[in-house]
Amino acid sequence: MSPPISPATSSTTEMPSGASGSVPDPAIERVARTAHGAVDRVAGTASSAVERVRTGVQGAYGTVSGKVHDLSASREVWVDSARERVREHPLATVGAALAIGYLLARILRS
């Protein structure tokens, strides 16, 4: 014969508050509504802030891209100009290179 089941060892449990079938507490409902409102406001603010940052980054990227293109074109102009001068004055170019090398050697030696 099995022992009698006492109420403490019974398999039935009480339903926690907020479970289906229980009456919600008005204070909890008020806190939940307030929290939902706060979360919605924060989400809206964060969304607009992210959009402003994205717009700023796109503008900065466009500016930097334009400057890189300008510098690349400027570098090509300088290189072409230097090549042209070397072709026009080869001896002067070699003399200038020797003078610069001599001066650098003197500076680095001391």
Side-chain angles (χ1 to χ4, degrees):
M1 184 167 186
S2 63
I5 298 176
S6 70
T9 59
S10 164
S11 63
T12 61
T13 57
E14 285 187 33
M15 298 287 286
S17 68
S20 83
S22 67
V23 179
D25 185 5
I28 292 174
E29 289 293 321
R30 187 176 65 247
V31 169
R33 278 193 306 272
T34 303
H36 283 293
V39 167
D40 290 343
R41 283 192 304 276
V42 168
T45 302
S47 176
S48 65
V50 166
E51 184 61 30
R52 284 193 310 269
V53 168
R54 186 182 64 79
T55 302
V57 167
Q58 283 178 338
Y61 176 77
T63 300
V64 168
S65 178
K67 293 293 182 183
V68 166
H69 178 41
D70 292 348
L71 287 174
S72 178
S74 176
R75 182 188 59 86
E76 290 175 17
V77 169
W78 277 75
V79 168
D80 290 343
S81 174
R83 283 184 182 143
E84 185 178 318
R85 293 217 187 255
V86 168
R87 285 187 191 115
E88 290 175 1
H89 308 286
L91 291 177
T93 303
V94 170
L98 288 173
I100 291 171
Y102 176 76
L103 290 174
L104 281 175
R106 297 273 310 204
I107 291 170
L108 293 175
R109 197 179 314 157
S110 57

